[in-house]
Amino acid sequence: MATSRCIPNTLTIAGSDPSGGAGIQADLKTLSALGTYATSVITALTAQNTRGVSGVHPVPVEFIAAQLETLLADVAIDAVKIGMVASREVAEVIRDALTPQRPGWIVLDPVMVAKSGDILVDDVGIAAVRECLVPLADLITPNLPEAAVLLGCPVPENRAGMEALAPGLRALGAGATLLKGGHLSGGECPDLLITSNAVTWIEGHRIDTTNLHGTGCTLSSAITARLAHGDALPDAVATAKTWLSQALEESHRLDVGQGRGPVHHFHARR
């Protein structure tokens, strides 16, 4: 699904993070760093820094619809990344906007569980994502707790447990799933790419850093960018994972905040 444009157009639909490490800001940095023209639709404003979130102000659903309608009427989007969606109304608006003008690729990062383990989305929001957006997506990128929430099962603790989730994840209706293994213990961070007819391990080693803010947003956006450039799905995932590892390794060059710092999205620029 490669575009004929020299620079593909991408879209992120997500909330704003004023600290710049996650959400729409991380997506825009990633999509730009990887050579696409990045557009955005904002679903929520947050009061947030590297130490946590102190407030959330949802954008009215009618205005989310207006942003999508206006943008899609003018710009041909090659690939879209969807971030956290907290209500059925927002999920339905996104589905209804993307269905008649479907981009070449739709990547859904089903953000539902914070790194602290707290559930970020209520049961209604979880059901909305599962029913409205997962079947729309060509790829979903849950971490292990998020996959467990989607399937209503325990969190896997090893590779065998991850592989055991493959049939249930396929049954949700997405084109493919990248099940992220960062929550496993040990020095490795293996991810499992689940398609309709195969499971493929994408290997990686754990980076010794506390600068993990926005890693999920960044990885899904990096995959979106590579898909927009025409990469096959396994290649897009592997390239994005390598790029994120480099962004984590170079995160020490940044000095942002006093909490969990961001990755270095522009690490390739010296």
Side-chain angles (χ1 to χ4, degrees):
M1 292 187 236
T3 175
S4 60
R5 282 179 284 278
C6 293
I7 298 177
N9 297 325
T10 52
L11 166 63
T12 167
I13 305 172
S16 170
D17 171 12
S19 75
I24 210 101
Q25 286 83 353
D27 295 343
L28 290 171
K29 291 175 185 178
T30 302
L31 295 168
S32 300
L34 289 171
T36 77
Y37 182 84
T39 65
S40 63
V41 166
I42 298 177
T43 59
L45 306 177
T46 69
Q48 182 175 178
N49 58 26
T50 63
R51 292 180 289 184
V53 180
S54 62
V56 179
H57 180 69
V59 173
V61 67
E62 296 83 6
F63 198 72
I64 296 173
Q67 292 180 77
L68 284 164
E69 179 182 356
T70 304
L71 175 66
L72 296 175
D74 181 48
V75 181
I77 299 298
D78 299 299
V80 59
K81 174 264 175 80
I82 305 170
M84 188 173 75
V85 175
S87 75
R88 175 167 291 275
E89 291 78 13
V90 173
E92 290 175 346
V93 158
I94 294 171
R95 177 197 62 194
D96 294 346
L98 295 180
T99 298
Q101 302 184 71
R102 184 182 178 90
W105 289 95
I106 297 175
V107 176
L108 171 65
D109 185 21
V111 181
M112 297 177 175
V113 183
K115 285 185 170 60
S116 64
D118 295 331
I119 302 296
L120 300 174
V121 182
D122 63 19
D123 290 345
V124 174
I126 292 167
V129 170
R130 185 190 296 118
E131 296 164 13
C132 298
L133 296 181
V134 170
L136 182 70
D138 298 294
L139 175 71
I140 62 173
T141 60
N143 59 31
L144 299 186
E146 287 159 355
V149 168
L150 284 171
L151 296 177
C153 69
V155 178
E157 297 180 351
N158 50 43
R159 290 186 184 231
M162 290 175 67
E163 289 185 344
L165 296 190
L169 290 167
R170 287 192 184 104
L172 293 176
T177 299
L178 181 67
L179 182 57
K180 299 179 293 188
H183 284 77
L184 297 182
S185 59
E188 299 302 311
C189 282
D191 298 335
L192 186 62
L193 180 60
I194 302 163
T195 62
S196 60
N197 55 12
V199 295
T200 304
W201 285 103
I202 311 292
E203 302 294 345
H205 64 279
R206 194 176 303 279
I207 308 299
D208 184 17
T209 180
T210 59
N211 296 327
L212 301 172
H213 184 51
T215 51
C217 305
T218 298
L219 178 61
S220 58
S221 293
I223 295 169
T224 302
R226 291 313 315 166
L227 291 171
H229 280 294
D231 288 5
L233 180 58
D235 295 333
V237 170
T239 300
K241 187 176 175 71
T242 297
W243 181 87
L244 175 59
S245 293
Q246 294 167 345
L248 285 163
E249 288 174 344
E250 295 293 330
S251 65
H252 67 275
R253 294 164 56 192
L254 301 174
D255 182 11
V256 180
Q258 303 171 54
R260 191 183 295 270
V263 308
H264 190 356
H265 297 92
F266 294 105
H267 60 272
R269 297 184 63 183
R270 296 286 176 174

